[in-house]
Amino acid sequence: MSVLAKSWSASNDPRRLAYAAAGLFLAALGLLHWGFYQHHLILDTVEYHRYGEAINHGRVPYRDFEVEYPPGALPVFAFPALGHPSFNFYHREFQILMAVCGVGALAAMTAVLRSLGARPARVAAALGFAALAPLVLGSVVIYRYDLWPAALTVAGLAGVLAGRQRLGFSALGLGIAAKVFPAVLVPPALAYVWRRHGRREALLCLAAAAAVVAALLVPFLALAPRGVWDSVVRQTTRPLQIESLGSAALVMAHQFYGLALTVVSSHGSQNLAGSRPDAVGAIESALLAVALLGIWVSAALGPAQPERLVRYAAAAVTAFVALVKVLSPQFLIWLVPLVPLVRGRRGVAASALLGLALLLTQLWFPYRYWRLVFNLDTGVWFLVLARDLVLVSLLAVLVWPNQAPTETEPEPARS
């Protein structure tokens, strides 16, 4: 990465760096179609194709068929299904759409770095990391729709930092409607806008995000209130998923102390069932709530500076990924456009830990996933536990207080 950064740093124009990163990213996606990347695939696109076909045949989501995803995800499923293509054609069109989202995320990262006044070497390193990340994480990048909400999240951050805060919050609202997790950015971003632009502007930004969410959600609430409610209940009452930190701890107890565990398939994932996993899931959810509250309070109490907003935005999403009781491999995609934006030695350490988490995930998913599910395989369990602990370490790096103030930009007066 250092050689890449030095070669790209010859240009002071971040647009050239963005073009180069986009080319690298598209090449990386192309390589995911070859060799071991194509072994033992687990495809969510089969389900996406079914949703898209149903929508394009005039069936109403949540009313005429069950959907486990929020309304903002539906366009991504329906668009590649226009014309009722075969699954193979749909597969290709969906991957093209994800490539567009990924390039959009790189463009938004470039905008963030420009607002931060980042030097070319920093821009090159951040964009290069994000561009090559698919090769480290693996095929899950092109067979899940998570590049869509990830791009919206970093676009929202870019809008807030560029002084287009209402547009930025609108992008966050669209991201929330697509996959909920961008909601964890709203409190620190709202505090930032409040401190910099005043209460009225902050409330208008919040209203913009809420309006976008309502525009996508309310029509389905009107057409299929029960179906929407059932979808919400299914997602909010999911059991402890087998890849989460809590599950890894229970599997450790199984490996070393013979703790009896039951694996069940439900809610679109493989989970641990029983009173003990339910209790661990409740504890993990409580830890997540405490971590997010701490991050939000810290972000609000400190100075409203762009570098701090970037760091706390990355920390909030990292806390959600590391401590949520459902941790699917594709969740790491959310971190790829955010963590490399963090400045200085903290950012280098955070990016290194994220890269390690991506690699550890690819070492077992999808190739060895079913060995974990059916056999609670010791080797696979160790990789899962190591990945989860690396994510916790990443969170610690992001939230660890500065020894001394590093941002010297004065905070503007409230309007």
Side-chain angles (χ1 to χ4, degrees), residues 128-203:
F129 180 97
L132 296 175
L135 296 179
V136 187
L137 181 56
S139 61
V140 68
V141 174
I142 54 175
Y143 299 125
R144 306 295 188 275
Y145 83 97
D146 293 78
L147 280 170
W148 166 236
L152 292 170
T153 301
V154 71
L157 184 62
V160 172
L161 292 174
R164 305 288 297 274
Q165 52 271 3
R166 297 182 199 177
L167 184 61
F169 270 79
S170 297
L172 287 178
L174 185 53
I176 292 167
K179 203 152 188 176
V180 181
F181 80 87
V184 301
L185 267 71
V186 170
L190 192 66
Y192 176 87
V193 172
W194 191 308
R195 297 282 291 274
R196 287 204 159 225
H197 303 287
R199 179 179 64 181
R200 180 178 180 275
E201 182 64 24
L203 294 177

Side-chain angles (χ1 to χ4, degrees), residues 31-325:
L31 290 174
L32 294 181
H33 294 87
W34 298 90
F36 65 90
Y37 288 117
Q38 289 293 300
H39 294 169
H40 308 289
L41 295 176
I42 299 176
L43 306 178
D44 278 13
T45 45
V46 174
E47 186 176 32
Y48 301 165
H49 181 237
R50 179 170 60 83
Y51 290 153
E53 281 290 286
I55 293 170
N56 284 299
H57 276 102
R59 300 177 66 193
V60 177
Y62 309 105
R63 186 191 70 183
D64 300 331
F65 61 96
E66 291 185 352
V67 182
E68 65 172 292
Y69 301 103
L74 298 176
V76 178
F77 304 152
F79 184 75
L82 290 173
H84 311 294
S86 65
F87 175 71
N88 287 338
F89 188 85
Y90 178 92
H91 221 216
R92 185 182 69 185
E93 297 299 301
F94 176 83
Q95 291 175 42
I96 292 173
L97 184 57
M98 288 302 99
V100 172
C101 291
V103 171
L106 290 169
M109 289 179 67
T110 306
V112 170
L113 292 163
R114 185 185 298 119
S115 295
L116 297 175
R119 295 180 178 179
R122 179 181 173 188
V123 176
L127 296 182
F129 180 97
L132 296 175
L135 296 179
V136 187
L137 181 56
S139 61
V140 68
V141 174
I142 54 175
Y143 299 125
R144 306 295 188 275
Y145 83 97
D146 293 78
L147 280 170
W148 166 236
L152 292 170
T153 301
V154 71
L157 184 62
V160 172
L161 292 174
R164 305 288 297 274
Q165 52 271 3
R166 297 182 199 177
L167 184 61
F169 270 79
S170 297
L172 287 178
L174 185 53
I176 292 167
K179 203 152 188 176
V180 181
F181 80 87
V184 301
L185 267 71
V186 170
L190 192 66
Y192 176 87
V193 172
W194 191 308
R195 297 282 291 274
R196 287 204 159 225
H197 303 287
R199 179 179 64 181
R200 180 178 180 275
E201 182 64 24
L203 294 177
L204 287 173
C205 288
L206 186 61
V212 172
V213 174
L216 289 166
L217 182 61
V218 169
F220 292 105
L221 281 173
L223 290 170
R226 184 171 181 178
V228 173
W229 177 249
D230 288 345
S231 177
V232 171
V233 169
R234 282 198 303 272
Q235 292 303 310
T236 55
T237 60
R238 293 183 67 170
L240 189 67
Q241 194 237 12
I242 199 167
E243 302 161 57
S244 67
L245 180 62
S247 285
L250 288 173
V251 174
M252 179 174 64
H254 168 80
Q255 299 286 357
F256 291 103
Y257 305 108
L259 177 69
L261 294 176
T262 302
V263 180
V264 298
S265 293
S266 64
H267 299 77
S269 62
Q270 286 64 50
N271 318 291
L272 296 183
S275 59
R276 187 175 282 107
D278 289 345
V280 171
I283 294 171
E284 196 166 350
S285 296
L287 288 174
L288 172 60
V290 170
L292 286 175
L293 184 61
I295 290 167
W296 295 340
V297 170
S298 297
L301 292 180
Q305 295 168 341
E307 295 284 3
R308 291 187 79 253
L309 176 59
V310 168
R311 176 161 72 92
Y312 281 106
V317 178
T318 300
F320 190 88
V321 172
L323 300 177
V324 73
K325 64 180 181 178

Side-chain angles (χ1 to χ4, degrees), residues 335-356:
L335 301 176
V336 169
L338 293 174
V339 171
L341 299 175
V342 177
R343 173 171 123 171
R345 286 179 292 181
R346 185 196 302 271
V348 172
S351 295
L353 286 169
L354 176 57
L356 179 58

